[in-house]
Amino acid sequence: MKIKLTISKKIFLGYGIITIGIILYTLVILVSMRRNLRSIENVQNVYNPSEKYIQDLKTNIEKSYYLIKNWVYIDKIPETPEKLELANIQDSILPKLFLTIENISNKWEPENRKLFKDIQKSVLDTLFPAQKQLMQTLGSFEDYDDAMAVFEAQSAVSEGGELAEADNRVKLKILELQKEIYELSVQSSNNLAKTTALVRKIIPIAILLLFLLAIAVPIITSRKIIRPILKLQEIILKMSTGHLPENAIVETGDEIEEMSKALNILLGELKKITLEIKHSSSDLDMLSKNLTKQAEIISRGASEQAASVEEVAAGIEEMVANIEQNTDNANTAKNIVKQAAEKIKMNNENVSNTVSALQKILEKIQIVNDIAFQTNILSLNASIEAARAGKNGKGFAVVAAEVGFLADKSKESSEDIQDLSDSSIKLSEESQMVSQALVPEILKTEELIRLVASTGLELKNGVNQINDAINSLNTVTQQNAVFADDMAQNSQSLAKQADNLVQMVAFFKN
């Protein structure tokens, strides 16, 4: 099965090989440098100082043995420089030295740390206590007069003695530790030398391999990519001259192969399209000519329609003016009827007041009739009394007759006034009834006039809307006329473009 790789994968693979080589080379260098640094660090910071401190430990142990022998055999005076130096070695120098070696021994091998612990234990638990015991036994000048004490001290420090044997055991262990540390130091130095030599051999070889990879990988990758691209370029150049070549698939297994397949599909479609365009261009030319004729007809019809719409718009405007005039007249009539209704209401109130006044007059006339009746009775009584009086009552009889005459006249006048008042009341009531019946009719007339005015206003608004619609239609019609002209021009342009299209398609050759 053939493995297909994309261009990006090929590029990544090529440069990935180079990158892996660089990484491996870098890892080798880093591992070698790390080993060298570790060896250098062991030599400089561990083994060289350890050798020095162990040598100092050995020197101080030997010096302490020499000083303790000098304490026993020679120096009998207390607190001499040699005795003070021995005490300083025991109490200060060696404890500090042990502490320093203990800190650095953490980087040793476990067996070497164990050996150092044995040396430290032997010195602190055996050798120094034995030396301090002798120092206390011979602590003063008079102690040297004790032959037994001097003999025991000399036996201890002499060859084969307890202190001498302890000192020898410590020295042997120190020598063994020195040997181990020395061997480790030599081993680290040898490892450093070997690693350095290996790096010196690897570096030229690695550089040469990287150089070859850097040259070979781009060449191989570019050949896998550039050759198919050049073949596709040849096909595209032929297409640029108007020749449509036969289908050709570049098999590369990547995007270039996909591009070639797509290009083949494009070539097939272009061939189909050019054939269809050639067949359709003539039909398009004929259609464009027919479209030009139809556009001219539409343009003339649109112009005539625009003129008709303008005439309709003028008639609508005149109708709007008449409706506005009718609406104004209806509003004026409504105001007049409203004023008349208000005056009739006022007249009705005046009639009501007049009827009330006439009724009061009737009441007063009734009183006058009563007074005339009483006066007439009094006149009769006076005439009767004057008749009884005879001559003496003649003057009184004349007065009584006149009073009776005046009473009769008053009664007649009051009756005439009552008849007139009754007639006036009847007329006033009839007038009030007529005016009361007339007021609702006037109000109804006012409402009808108001409805007429409102309807006229609505009709005006409707006509205005129709007028606006007519104006909009006029605008649209004029635009249609313009569009029709444009369409005629565009159809002519389309015909020209159809001719150009035929010429352009002729560029492609199958």
Side-chain angles (χ1 to χ4, degrees):
M1 181 178 177
K2 187 177 180 180
I3 299 176
K4 293 185 177 181
L5 297 176
T6 62
I7 294 175
S8 60
K9 289 182 179 178
K10 290 178 179 178
I11 295 173
F12 284 139
L13 178 62
Y15 286 98
I17 294 172
I18 297 175
T19 304
I20 291 172
I22 294 173
I23 292 172
L24 292 175
Y25 170 72
T26 305
L27 288 175
V28 171
I29 297 300
L30 289 176
V31 171
S32 301
M33 289 179 62
R34 188 174 181 182
R35 292 179 62 183
N36 288 344
L37 289 174
R38 188 183 298 114
S39 299
I40 292 171
E41 182 180 3
N42 289 334
V43 171
Q44 292 181 352
N45 298 330
V46 179
Y47 299 124
N48 287 343
S50 297
E51 287 181 338
K52 177 180 177 302
Y53 295 141
I54 293 171
Q55 182 61 39
D56 291 342
L57 177 63
K58 179 183 176 184
T59 301
N60 281 284
I61 294 295
E62 291 176 347
K63 192 171 184 180
S64 67
Y65 180 70
Y66 168 77
L67 290 174
I68 194 63
K69 286 181 69 175
N70 185 63
W71 189 301
V72 172
Y73 286 104
I74 301 171
D75 201 354
K76 299 179 179 180
I77 301 172
E79 296 185 357
T80 60
E82 288 77 5
K83 290 184 176 182
L84 293 175
E85 185 178 2
L86 178 60
N88 186 39
I89 289 173
Q90 294 174 348
D91 298 334
S92 178
I93 294 176
L94 282 178
K96 291 180 181 179
L97 191 58
F98 277 129
L99 182 61
T100 302
I101 296 174
E102 186 175 2
N103 291 333
I104 204 172
S105 68
N106 293 327
K107 300 179 182 179
W108 294 352
E109 299 297 328
E111 58 272 13
N112 294 332
R113 287 200 300 271
K114 184 176 181 300
L115 181 58
F116 169 71
K117 292 293 184 181
D118 292 340
I119 294 172
Q120 187 178 18
K121 182 176 178 61
S122 298
V123 172
L124 297 179
D125 294 345
T126 303
L127 185 61
F128 281 178
Q131 288 180 356
K132 290 183 178 181
Q133 181 65 37
L134 289 177
M135 291 165 62
Q136 291 178 357
T137 302
L138 301 176
S140 63
F141 185 77
E142 290 79 11
D143 291 337
Y144 285 91
D145 294 335
D146 187 354
M148 183 58 70
V150 173
F151 177 74
E152 290 177 358
Q154 290 177 352
S155 298
V157 298
S158 60
E159 186 175 354
E162 180 183 358
L163 187 57
E165 290 299 324
D167 185 73
N168 287 332
R169 287 193 297 272
V170 170
K171 288 178 182 178
L172 289 175
K173 291 180 180 179
I174 291 174
L175 288 174
E176 184 181 357
L177 182 60
Q178 275 185 318
K179 182 181 177 182
E180 293 291 334
I181 296 300
Y182 175 75
E183 289 177 356
L184 290 173
S185 178
V186 172
Q187 184 179 356
S188 296
S189 299
N190 292 334
N191 291 335
L192 178 61
K194 290 179 181 179
T195 305
T196 303
L198 180 62
V199 170
R200 288 178 179 175
K201 291 179 182 179
I202 291 175
I203 287 176
I205 297 172
I207 291 175
L208 179 61
L209 290 176
L210 289 175
F211 179 74
L212 293 176
L213 284 174
I215 294 175
V217 170
I219 291 174
I220 295 171
T221 305
S222 62
R223 290 183 66 184
K224 290 288 185 181
I225 297 173
I226 292 174
R227 282 186 177 180
I229 291 176
L230 292 176
K231 191 171 181 181
L232 289 178
Q233 181 185 11
E234 182 181 356
I235 295 173
I236 294 172
L237 288 174
K238 287 182 180 179
M239 291 175 62
S240 66
T241 59
H243 293 83
L244 299 178
E246 296 297 327
N247 295 341
I249 297 177
V250 182
E251 296 183 356
T252 58
D254 53 20
E255 291 90 347
I256 297 176
E257 182 176 346
E258 299 296 328
M259 290 169 59
S260 66
K261 291 179 180 179
L263 185 60
N264 288 332
I265 295 172
L266 178 62
L267 285 171
E269 294 297 324
L270 277 176
K271 290 177 182 180
K272 293 179 182 178
I273 291 171
T274 51
L275 291 174
E276 290 178 359
I277 292 175
K278 287 179 180 179
H279 292 310
S280 302
S281 57
S282 59
D283 295 336
L284 181 62
D285 184 41
M286 185 179 297
L287 289 173
S288 64
K289 291 178 181 178
N290 293 331
L291 183 63
T292 302
K293 294 179 181 179
Q294 293 174 359
E296 291 175 354
I297 295 171
I298 292 172
S299 177
R300 288 195 296 271
S303 300
E304 294 175 358
Q305 185 180 7
S308 299
V309 169
E310 288 180 355
E311 293 177 359
V312 172
I316 292 293
E317 289 179 357
E318 184 177 357
M319 186 185 298
V320 169
N322 294 329
I323 290 171
E324 288 179 352
Q325 184 64 39
N326 291 334
T327 303
D328 293 336
N329 294 334
N331 288 328
T332 303
K334 181 182 72 172
N335 295 328
I336 294 170
V337 169
K338 186 176 181 181
Q339 292 175 1
E342 291 177 354
K343 290 178 179 180
I344 290 171
K345 288 180 180 179
M346 292 175 62
N347 185 39
N348 194 10
E349 292 177 357
N350 292 331
V351 170
S352 297
N353 295 330
T354 302
V355 170
S356 298
L358 290 172
Q359 288 176 351
K360 290 179 181 180
I361 291 171
L362 287 175
E363 292 176 358
K364 300 298 182 182
I365 289 171
Q366 187 65 37
I367 295 170
V368 172
N369 286 332
D370 292 338
I371 294 171
F373 180 72
Q374 292 295 333
T375 303
N376 194 14
I377 290 173
L378 291 173
S379 173
L380 290 174
N381 290 330
S383 297
I384 291 170
E385 291 298 328
R388 287 178 181 176
K391 292 181 178 180
N392 294 326
K394 285 183 178 180
F396 186 70
V398 173
V399 173
E402 289 296 329
V403 170
F405 179 75
L406 291 173
D408 291 334
K409 286 289 186 181
S410 296
K411 183 177 180 181
E412 291 176 359
S413 297
S414 64
E415 288 176 353
D416 293 337
I417 291 171
Q418 185 175 3
D419 292 336
L420 291 173
S421 296
D422 290 335
S423 298
S424 297
I425 288 172
K426 288 180 181 180
L427 291 173
S428 297
E429 287 176 351
E430 290 177 357
S431 176
Q432 186 177 12
M433 291 175 65
V434 171
S435 62
Q436 287 177 351
L438 186 61
V439 167
E441 296 297 328
I442 292 173
L443 293 175
K444 187 175 181 180
T445 302
E446 180 190 3
E447 180 66 20
L448 292 174
I449 293 172
R450 186 185 66 78
L451 291 174
V452 170
S454 177
T455 304
L457 183 60
E458 291 177 357
L459 182 60
K460 175 186 174 183
N461 293 330
V463 173
N464 285 329
Q465 291 177 357
I466 294 171
N467 191 22
D468 294 336
I470 292 296
N471 290 329
S472 299
L473 180 61
N474 187 18
T475 303
V476 173
T477 303
Q478 292 177 357
Q479 289 178 351
N480 288 336
V482 175
F483 291 158
D485 292 337
D486 292 340
M487 193 167 89
Q489 295 177 1
N490 291 332
S491 62
Q492 294 175 358
S493 176
L494 181 62
K496 293 180 181 179
Q497 291 179 3
D499 293 335
N500 294 332
L501 183 61
V502 172
Q503 296 175 1
M504 289 173 65
V505 173
F507 173 78
F508 292 102
K509 306 173 183 63
N510 294 331

